[in-house]
Amino acid sequence: MELRMREGHEGTGPGAITPDGCAVELYARLPVGDEPDIIAAAVPAGARILELGSGVGRMTHALLERGFEVTAVDESARMLERVRGARTICGPIEKLDLGETFDVVLLASFLVHAGDVEVRRGLLRTCARHLAKGGCVLIQREGEDYHTDVPRERVDPAGFTVRIVSAEPVGDGVDSVHAEYVFPDATWTQTFRARPLTREQFEEALAETGLTVDRYLTEDRMWVRAVPMSDT
């Protein structure tokens, strides 16, 4: 059974909409970018990866092809129905406790920018709780101008347009972000709450859960390799 919609989140368009406003059919269409290459370059070959927020498996499948063992977690059963070749677990990420550890924990899709501070803390605690000794957490952050360079749009080579239409403050440092995905035959929208984090605020959030930046993996600092403070 699908969970109820998260507060401040909604989505429109054909097919099922998940609790955070994502459309399953939309994400099944979106191509994977260079993220799997960034991940593969930052972790040991064949590592066991816990992918938090896997969705339909865009990155899951690419990581499996590169020889990794992936456990895919998502709160949407409808999303996980599209995942092939990986163990899947359905449930809220911030409450996950599998009683086992992994070489790599992956928190992509800007989930670390959750509008609710307690949800963010729960997400990062889940990352730390499932990390094997000597392992690492890979986190994808928003770009530094994600909330200020609006409206903006990008035409994907695959033939669809992504628009970030607005990012409006709703209080307590949180923005309501509205996005549109326009394909020749269908349009989807998503509205969600996100909290901008400066580099310093992000690193403070990591420290709250005993994690620290090992290194930033990309020049824009959107991809981060974090490790337990006890390992540094």
Side-chain angles (χ1 to χ4, degrees):
M1 180 181 293
E2 247 354 90
L3 300 172
R4 68 176 61 185
M5 194 68 68
R6 288 179 179 260
E7 182 181 358
H9 295 245
E10 62 180 331
T12 67
I17 305 295
T18 67
D20 60 356
C22 293
V24 175
E25 297 298 331
L26 165 63
Y27 279 84
R29 293 188 182 201
L30 295 180
V32 66
D34 60 357
E35 292 94 342
D37 293 329
I38 293 170
I39 294 164
V43 303
R48 295 182 69 237
I49 297 177
L50 178 64
E51 183 187 4
L52 303 176
S54 66
V56 297
R58 285 186 305 143
M59 282 203 287
T60 315
H61 299 143
L63 292 170
L64 290 170
E65 291 171 0
R66 287 162 173 77
F68 296 104
E69 179 186 333
V70 184
T71 295
V73 180
D74 203 277
E75 68 179 1
S76 169
R78 299 293 291 274
M79 286 282 195
L80 290 175
E81 287 173 1
R82 306 296 184 99
V83 176
R84 298 288 180 268
R87 169 192 180 197
T88 60
I89 295 171
C90 186
I93 299 166
E94 63 269 29
K95 299 177 182 179
L96 186 72
D97 190 351
L98 299 179
E100 59 185 290
T101 58
F102 298 80
D103 305 315
V104 180
V105 180
L106 177 60
L107 188 69
S109 302
F110 310 145
L111 291 177
V112 74
H113 291 271
D116 186 325
V117 171
E118 286 306 314
V119 169
R120 182 191 71 208
R121 287 174 177 149
L123 295 173
L124 291 174
R125 289 188 189 113
T126 293
C127 291
R129 182 163 53 242
H130 291 90
L131 200 57
K133 184 173 180 58
C136 66
V137 182
L138 300 187
I139 302 171
Q140 185 182 26
R141 302 171 61 220
E142 294 174 343
E144 293 181 1
D145 59 354
Y146 187 88
H147 292 253
T148 55
D149 180 21
V150 290
R152 66 182 183 274
E153 73 173 39
R154 174 180 63 84
V155 179
D156 192 272
F160 63 92
T161 300
V162 181
R163 298 190 183 106
I164 304 299
V165 179
S166 59
E168 300 293 336
V170 293
D172 189 35
V174 178
D175 288 345
S176 176
V177 180
H178 183 70
E180 296 178 351
Y181 301 82
V182 181
F183 286 72
D185 61 337
T187 297
W188 286 271
T189 73
Q190 183 183 9
T191 301
F192 57 95
R193 292 187 179 178
R195 180 180 297 274
L197 296 172
T198 64
R199 180 176 176 178
E200 291 75 18
Q201 290 169 331
F202 168 72
E203 293 182 0
E204 287 171 2
L206 290 183
E208 284 185 356
T209 49
L211 297 170
T212 188
V213 172
D214 177 56
R215 66 180 186 273
Y216 287 92
L217 302 175
T218 52
E219 288 187 11
D220 58 15
R221 294 193 292 274
M222 288 178 63
W223 277 95
V224 187
R225 188 180 193 272
V227 296
M229 288 179 169
S230 57
D231 289 356
T232 59

